[in-house]
Amino acid sequence: MGMRITTNMIRRNYTNNLMQNIGGLEKARKQVETGRRFQWSYEDPSAAAKGMILERRNARTADYINTVKNGQKWIDSQSDILSDLSKYANQIDESEFTAAMNDPAGTVGRDAFAQNLRELQNSLVKALNTQYGDTFLMAGTDGRNVPFDLKEDGTLLYQGKDVNDAAAMDPLKNQKLYVDVGFGLTFYPETEGEHAGEIVPSSAFDMAFPGILAVGSGTTQVEVPGKGTMELSNNIIVLAGQMADALTAEEFDRDLCNALWDQFKAGREDLQDQFARVGTKAQLLENTLSRLETDEQNIKEQYMDAVGIEPALAITNESYAMYSYNAALKIGTSLLGNSLLDFMK
């Protein structure tokens, strides 16, 4: 005897199948919207676990990339400051002081050139006190405070200490400001002695540029004809002021001016060497950014393999699900009342 199929059974089965079609359509839509094969981890626990790991790696890599890009802007700004310093130093050496030493106007001419030297001296200080946001770029690790302070008596302070004091400047010249850019940040163990707990230099990037490195520190004993041995500053800002003072002295001393000039030129050459320091950092960041962007792309590809779905396939699935749903609605016109079908539409 055959099984009797009632109208209610047909309607109930149809309604269940229609709900499944609606669920399939919603799933297909979610795949298009999110780019994921599934929305809940229980649907594919292994792929979901791998996806979570890759998401964390991708977020960490994105942070590194952002840090490197900010670091590039920081280093570029430091390079711009060095360019300004070099420009002012060249103007002092090649234009102002050269002209002053050979000016036929004598005292009057030298006074004018001395004034220009003092203006350029102040320009050097202002360039070194440039800020990036609210941080002083050339302040080593003390970026919240103005690094250089030129006193009226010609004394130049760096982080509150006389730049001619070599002993005070030595630790300031070696200040480091490390940031994590994906080199595997690590610290020395507590048993490492004087470096205990410090960051291993090779595991991070040093953002600091102590400005005193650019303009010199300490003093040098120099033989000056007629004056014997003199202690001359190694700092080009201090020397610029002393050169201006020598030009306006009551008794013009050409030998002293030449000694100061030679010392200044040596400091200017040291300044040029600092471009290599910044250039090396800039190249390191460029290489690091390239590596990180490659890592980011690889992570995204691994993520797509683990939990993703190709956009074309997702759209095809949605189109097929929509077709199935609409077909089911048309078939239902002979099974269900118009009011329910209208609601489903």
Side-chain angles (χ1 to χ4, degrees), residues 3 51 100 145 159 163 172 179 300:
M3 179 180 177
N145 298 303
Q159 295 190 20
V163 299
L172 300 182
V179 293
K300 288 180 179 179

Side-chain angles (χ1 to χ4, degrees), residues 126-199:
K126 289 177 181 177
L128 287 164
N129 288 340
T130 299
Q131 288 180 281
Y132 182 87
D134 59 353
T135 305
F136 292 96
L137 284 162
M138 311 295 277
T141 57
D142 188 18
R144 297 300 179 184
N145 298 303
V146 179
F148 288 90
D149 182 17
L150 181 61
K151 300 298 184 181
E152 291 185 2
D153 63 358
T155 301
L156 179 66
L157 303 181
Y158 176 67
Q159 295 190 20
K161 298 178 180 179
D162 190 341
V163 299
N164 287 341
D165 186 347
M169 291 297 106
D170 281 344
L172 300 182
K173 290 192 296 185
N174 296 314
Q175 289 181 331
K176 308 293 183 182
L177 183 62
Y178 291 113
V179 293
D180 185 9
V181 292
F183 294 162
L185 183 67
T186 54
F187 295 83
Y188 285 114
E190 294 300 327
T191 57
E192 194 65 24
E194 62 175 332
H195 296 297
E198 295 180 2
I199 293 175

Side-chain angles (χ1 to χ4, degrees), residues 230-289:
M230 295 187 65
E231 201 85 15
L232 298 184
S233 176
N234 296 326
N235 184 277
I236 61 174
I237 298 175
V238 174
L239 288 168
Q242 292 176 345
M243 290 158 69
D245 291 340
L247 289 176
T248 57
E250 291 185 9
E251 184 177 343
F252 180 62
D253 189 335
R254 183 173 293 273
D255 289 330
L256 175 59
C257 286
N258 283 329
L260 291 169
W261 193 7
D262 289 340
Q263 190 77 347
F264 182 89
K265 285 188 285 189
R268 191 191 68 167
E269 292 175 1
D270 291 340
L271 169 60
Q272 300 301 321
D273 292 340
Q274 295 305 317
F275 279 99
R277 177 189 180 96
V278 174
T280 300
K281 288 187 175 183
Q283 187 60 53
L284 176 59
L285 286 179
E286 184 66 29
N287 294 339
T288 301
L289 179 61

Side-chain angles (χ1 to χ4, degrees), residues 259-331:
L260 291 169
W261 193 7
D262 289 340
Q263 190 77 347
F264 182 89
K265 285 188 285 189
R268 191 191 68 167
E269 292 175 1
D270 291 340
L271 169 60
Q272 300 301 321
D273 292 340
Q274 295 305 317
F275 279 99
R277 177 189 180 96
V278 174
T280 300
K281 288 187 175 183
Q283 187 60 53
L284 176 59
L285 286 179
E286 184 66 29
N287 294 339
T288 301
L289 179 61
S290 178
R291 175 181 60 79
L292 288 172
E293 289 176 338
T294 299
D295 288 347
E296 184 181 46
Q297 184 60 36
N298 291 336
I299 292 171
K300 288 180 179 179
E301 291 176 1
Q302 293 176 50
Y303 182 83
M304 177 62 69
D305 291 340
V307 303
I309 184 171
E310 291 294 335
L313 178 59
I315 293 173
T316 299
N317 290 344
E318 183 188 29
S319 298
Y320 180 77
M322 178 62 73
Y323 172 79
S324 299
Y325 175 67
N326 289 331
L329 289 179
K330 290 180 180 179
I331 293 173

Side-chain angles (χ1 to χ4, degrees), residues 51-189:
M52 291 178 62
I53 294 173
L54 291 170
E55 285 175 353
R56 287 196 295 269
R57 285 181 56 193
N58 188 57
R60 186 168 60 249
T61 301
D63 286 340
Y64 290 149
I65 289 175
N66 185 58
T67 300
V68 169
K69 288 182 176 179
N70 287 334
Q72 286 180 314
K73 295 177 183 178
W74 180 275
I75 297 300
D76 287 345
S77 296
Q78 290 177 340
S79 181
D80 290 342
I81 291 172
L82 288 176
S83 294
D84 289 341
L85 293 175
S86 181
K87 178 183 67 176
Y88 296 139
N90 289 340
Q91 191 172 347
I92 289 172
D93 179 28
E94 298 174 358
S95 301
E96 300 300 330
F97 202 70
T98 302
M101 292 289 286
N102 299 292
D103 187 75
T107 302
V108 176
R110 289 195 294 269
D111 286 345
F113 285 114
Q115 181 61 37
N116 291 341
L117 285 177
R118 292 192 174 93
E119 292 295 333
L120 289 169
Q121 182 189 36
N122 286 322
S123 295
L124 288 168
V125 175
K126 289 177 181 177
L128 287 164
N129 288 340
T130 299
Q131 288 180 281
Y132 182 87
D134 59 353
T135 305
F136 292 96
L137 284 162
M138 311 295 277
T141 57
D142 188 18
R144 297 300 179 184
N145 298 303
V146 179
F148 288 90
D149 182 17
L150 181 61
K151 300 298 184 181
E152 291 185 2
D153 63 358
T155 301
L156 179 66
L157 303 181
Y158 176 67
Q159 295 190 20
K161 298 178 180 179
D162 190 341
V163 299
N164 287 341
D165 186 347
M169 291 297 106
D170 281 344
L172 300 182
K173 290 192 296 185
N174 296 314
Q175 289 181 331
K176 308 293 183 182
L177 183 62
Y178 291 113
V179 293
D180 185 9
V181 292
F183 294 162
L185 183 67
T186 54
F187 295 83
Y188 285 114

